[in-house]
Amino acid sequence: MSPITRQSLLKASESFCTAFASQSPPSEILTQHFTQNSDDIIVLEHGLPRLAPFLGREYKGKDGFLEYFKTIGEQLSYKDMRFSDYIVDAEVRKVSVRGEAVFTNKKTGQSWDEVFRYVLEFDEDARIQKYEVWADSGAAYLASRGELS
């Protein structure tokens, strides 16, 4: 097996981000972009769990991945998602990427412009095994209460 290159990680990250931005179904994203070893999959959106039900806990495995996207999909929608500023570290098989989108709370209809950060960790086949998100959990919380101004 050849070593993972910076270019292969960048290509895999861009492909994942394109699929996400185009709102591909979670099951498709899972099969096309995540590790085949389901037990190694970890999804974590950082934040206090009391602010939103999808924050602050690790979703593990294929079922956890699907649960995370079901939970977040029940709460939020998004549009105009785009990505930039890819930072690739081939030695540790990680990519950090900046994202931007307009998010809307489905219950209240309140929307906000958000800048967020993904850190993607890859397996030896350049497939994602850990997906971490840092986002504006305060805006998500306020929107869920109808208190965005």
Side-chain angles (χ1 to χ4, degrees), residues 16 19-20 23-36 41 61-70 127:
F16 165 73
F20 200 86
Q23 301 194 28
S24 295
S27 59
E28 185 178 304
I29 291 173
L30 176 66
T31 59
Q32 293 184 2
H33 301 282
F34 279 75
T35 184
Q36 297 301 303
I41 295 172
K62 177 182 174 182
D63 291 341
F65 174 95
L66 294 171
E67 179 187 352
Y68 169 79
F69 282 100
K70 179 180 182 285
R127 294 176 66 91

Side-chain angles (χ1 to χ4, degrees), residues 2-50:
S2 60
I4 300 295
T5 66
R6 179 188 185 287
Q7 192 59 35
S8 65
L9 292 176
L10 178 60
K11 183 179 175 182
S13 300
E14 290 173 335
S15 178
F16 165 73
C17 289
T18 297
F20 200 86
S22 65
Q23 301 194 28
S24 295
S27 59
E28 185 178 304
I29 291 173
L30 176 66
T31 59
Q32 293 184 2
H33 301 282
F34 279 75
T35 184
Q36 297 301 303
N37 186 355
S38 175
D39 293 341
D40 290 344
I41 295 172
I42 296 174
V43 176
L44 172 61
E45 184 159 346
H46 294 271
L48 292 173
R50 70 176 185 231

Side-chain angles (χ1 to χ4, degrees), residues 48-64:
L48 292 173
R50 70 176 185 231
L51 298 180
F54 50 86
L55 294 175
R57 63 176 265 222
E58 286 189 347
Y59 292 84
K60 295 182 179 182
K62 177 182 174 182
D63 291 341

Side-chain angles (χ1 to χ4, degrees), residues 4-137:
I4 300 295
T5 66
R6 179 188 185 287
Q7 192 59 35
S8 65
L9 292 176
L10 178 60
K11 183 179 175 182
S13 300
E14 290 173 335
S15 178
F16 165 73
C17 289
T18 297
F20 200 86
S22 65
Q23 301 194 28
S24 295
S27 59
E28 185 178 304
I29 291 173
L30 176 66
T31 59
Q32 293 184 2
H33 301 282
F34 279 75
T35 184
Q36 297 301 303
N37 186 355
S38 175
D39 293 341
D40 290 344
I41 295 172
I42 296 174
V43 176
L44 172 61
E45 184 159 346
H46 294 271
L48 292 173
R50 70 176 185 231
L51 298 180
F54 50 86
L55 294 175
R57 63 176 265 222
E58 286 189 347
Y59 292 84
K60 295 182 179 182
K62 177 182 174 182
D63 291 341
F65 174 95
L66 294 171
E67 179 187 352
Y68 169 79
F69 282 100
K70 179 180 182 285
T71 303
I72 203 167
E74 290 170 348
Q75 305 284 315
L76 304 175
S77 64
Y78 61 89
K79 65 180 183 178
D80 302 330
M81 187 172 280
R82 58 205 174 279
F83 294 92
S84 61
D85 301 335
Y86 290 81
I87 301 168
V88 180
D89 186 335
E91 284 188 40
V92 295
R93 299 193 309 246
K94 288 186 180 183
V95 176
S96 173
V97 58
R98 179 183 194 264
E100 298 176 61
V102 177
F103 286 87
T104 301
N105 181 282
K106 289 182 174 180
K107 182 178 79 178
T108 66
Q110 291 196 326
S111 298
W112 68 99
D113 294 326
E114 182 161 324
V115 176
F116 52 92
R117 178 69 58 183
Y118 291 165
V119 173
L120 309 171
E121 185 177 322
F122 292 83
D123 68 10
E124 59 279 351
D125 297 318
R127 294 176 66 91
I128 300 166
Q129 62 186 16
K130 188 170 186 181
Y131 167 61
E132 291 185 85
V133 182
W134 285 264
D136 188 350
S137 55

